[in-house]
Amino acid sequence: MVPSKTLDEAQEFTGDSPAHAAAVKETILRNFEICERGAVFTPANLARMKGGHAPLVPSGTCAGQNYDVDHIIPVHEFPAFGKELANLIYLPAHLNRSKGADIEQRSLDLASKLAAAGILTPEDVQRLRGIRQRGESRSPVSQGSVPATSAMSASSTTGKVNLNTATTSAIEALPGIGPKTAAAIIAARPLKSLTDLDQVPGIGPKTLEGVKEAVSF
């Protein structure tokens, strides 16, 4: 069955509110797309999942690692969201570990949608924003193991920013990239393609669309 149609039928059956149903549907379809691009649905991985095991990343920089399911809005701040379907993200174990418990832009985006659905209050969203701001002000961005270079030298002759060699400041200069996402990109190095970048915490569809013509690998 078509995933979007299946979700519509399931949510009609459960009587979910339209706003919450839309948030759940968007997250599940996003994760389904990640799974399709990440070759999660191979015969070998399907056999693993039927046996109760996590699927494995088949290729790329995270090859051989388990796929993890984690929370977009951290449950240490909002315990009730531990089983919220709209709050789940699918990603390789390395990227999951590297993102830690920081509040990311995608967390704020989801919180705004859930507030519109009446599941979070405006005060909850404001508290989440405050936590993120305090965290960013006291958490220096790690440079990882990549030697520091100038923003110009990290760019190719075409003017694109090479995400595997660029400095934090050069990456932060890209549209939609903040300090936390820049740190996550550096932690995920080496990146080989936009597919790898798409799996970095903090990179959503809009951000990916905004930077895809400005970066190289």
Side-chain angles (χ1 to χ4, degrees):
M1 294 179 67
V2 178
S4 60
K5 181 179 179 181
T6 306
L7 286 167
D8 289 340
E9 291 182 0
Q11 290 171 325
E12 182 179 356
F13 178 78
T14 59
D16 203 0
S17 69
H20 181 246
V24 170
K25 181 177 180 179
E26 180 180 345
T27 298
I28 291 180
L29 290 179
R30 172 71 172 157
N31 283 323
F32 190 85
E33 181 184 355
I34 290 172
C35 290
E36 284 192 315
R37 290 204 310 259
V40 170
F41 303 132
T42 62
N45 271 336
L46 289 174
R48 286 182 59 83
M49 288 189 281
K50 287 179 180 178
H53 303 288
L56 300 177
V57 181
S59 61
T61 57
C62 298
Q65 295 181 13
N66 284 349
Y67 274 100
D68 284 354
V69 177
D70 202 2
H71 303 99
I72 301 172
I73 297 174
V75 294
H76 66 276
E77 295 293 344
F78 294 88
F81 283 82
K83 295 182 179 180
E84 168 59 57
L85 290 177
N87 193 36
L88 301 179
I89 184 172
Y90 211 64
L91 70 173
H94 168 70
L95 297 180
N96 186 26
R97 303 297 184 271
S98 68
K99 78 181 182 64
D102 294 331
I103 307 296
E104 302 173 338
Q105 183 58 47
R106 75 172 68 192
S107 304
L108 299 179
D109 293 342
L110 176 60
S112 297
K113 293 176 183 177
L114 294 180
I119 298 170
L120 279 177
T121 66
E123 291 74 22
D124 289 330
V125 178
Q126 190 59 38
R127 179 163 71 90
L128 201 61
R129 292 185 185 278
I131 294 169
R132 186 187 190 206
Q133 290 170 354
R134 291 194 297 274
E136 288 183 346
S137 66
R138 67 171 180 264
S139 299
V141 176
S142 170
Q143 295 291 331
S145 58
V146 179
T149 57
S150 69
M152 185 62 70
S153 64
S155 301
S156 69
T157 56
T158 62
K160 294 185 177 183
V161 175
N162 188 315
L163 294 181
N164 289 313
T165 58
T167 61
T168 300
S169 59
I171 296 175
E172 287 181 18
L174 293 167
I177 304 295
K180 296 297 183 183
T181 304
I185 290 172
I186 290 173
R189 288 171 172 172
L191 300 166
K192 296 183 179 180
S193 66
L194 289 173
T195 299
D196 287 349
L197 179 61
D198 191 29
Q199 298 185 55
V200 173
I203 300 293
K206 290 183 180 179
T207 302
L208 190 68
E209 182 66 25
V211 304
K212 69 179 184 180
E213 300 299 333
V215 300
S216 62
F217 303 90

